Amino acid sequence: MAIVSFVGAGPGETDLITLKGYKLLSEADVVIYAGSLINTDLLDYCKDGAEKYDSAKMTLDDIVDRMEESVKNGKSVVRLQTGDFSIYGSIREQIEEMKKRGIKYQCVPGVSSFLGAASSMGVEYTVPEVAQSVIITRMAGRTPVPEGESLKSLAQHQTSMVIFLSVQGIRKVVEQLEEGGYPSDTPAAVIYKATWPDEKVVRGTLADIAEKVHDADIRRTALIMVGKFLGDEYNYSHLYDAGFSKMFRKKSK
């Protein structure tokens, strides 16, 4: 029986889709894609005759109706979502509707934009003796965040942080982060459309990043990255120490 495959499209660059995702996309009879979010050049992988629908112009019912009709007609469906759908992917509401209608589905992960951003900038979120945790979050807006997950509360950890869907309010983001405990000289960066051909990176500190982002005219489709991992501080010497490596190999056996 035909099923619906949720496929993570990757962060933007077309060859950052997974091999499995590419195979499903190239064989799909119907593709429903997030037109306002994905790189539509990915649709060049579709086979001739594939039906393509931009979900930016569809309601939830429209999307699920199209899935149901297609599957009942024996057509394979790919729901192409931005980055990896497990982070701000909005697939939960789609899956709940599909369960109600008995539509079979599978999920194929993709490369999230926060991973693409780190790769583009050549940074590592987890740096020994600097930061060993990553907080992925967003600023409260039209959709609230749970109590205890405000930027101010999370900033108390002063670890690596990636903030989605918030660049339009970056001055408020900075204010909350500083109120929560990050010093004003904490390294910060904003990356617009990570891995896309028109990618743009702005670096600074919490003291000046908002002004730099304003000057660069970045208002959407960007991630805010904050933490010492963006700075010059690091200590990897023990990882390449012969004695440490020998001990690690011994424990791994």
Side-chain angles (χ1 to χ4, degrees), residues 17-35:
I17 190 171
T18 65
L19 183 59
K20 184 173 183 179
Y22 163 78
K23 187 173 185 295
L24 288 166
L25 181 60
S26 65
E27 296 173 350
D29 299 308
V30 177
V31 177
I32 304 173
Y33 62 97

Side-chain angles (χ1 to χ4, degrees), residues 44 56 71 74 85 107 133 145 158 162 168 234 243:
D44 292 341
V71 169
F85 43 74
C107 296
S133 304
V145 300
Q158 294 189 44
V162 185
Q168 72 283 354
Y234 70 97

Side-chain angles (χ1 to χ4, degrees), residues 34-105:
S36 60
L37 300 172
I38 70 157
N39 185 343
T40 52
D41 287 347
L42 285 162
L43 300 178
D44 292 341
Y45 294 147
C46 296
K47 66 183 181 182
D48 291 340
E51 300 173 36
K52 304 167 191 173
Y53 301 94
D54 183 354
S55 63
K57 305 171 184 176
M58 304 168 72
T59 65
L60 175 60
D61 284 339
D62 291 337
I63 293 169
V64 181
D65 286 346
R66 178 61 59 188
M67 291 174 173
E68 183 176 32
E69 180 184 349
S70 299
V71 169
K72 284 182 176 178
N73 289 327
K75 296 178 180 180
S76 59
V77 179
V78 161
R79 176 65 168 119
L80 196 60
Q81 303 266 157
T82 182
D84 179 81
F85 43 74
S86 66
I87 300 176
Y88 305 115
S90 301
I91 69 165
R92 177 68 181 267
E93 58 185 353
Q94 297 173 70
I95 286 175
E96 291 301 322
E97 286 300 313
M98 292 169 66
K99 286 179 178 177
K100 291 176 186 176
R101 304 190 194 192
I103 304 171
K104 292 189 176 181
Y105 67 91

Side-chain angles (χ1 to χ4, degrees), residues 100-115:
K100 291 176 186 176
R101 304 190 194 192
I103 304 171
K104 292 189 176 181
Y105 67 91
Q106 65 174 332
C107 296
V108 179
V111 178
S112 173
S113 58
F114 89 92
L115 299 173

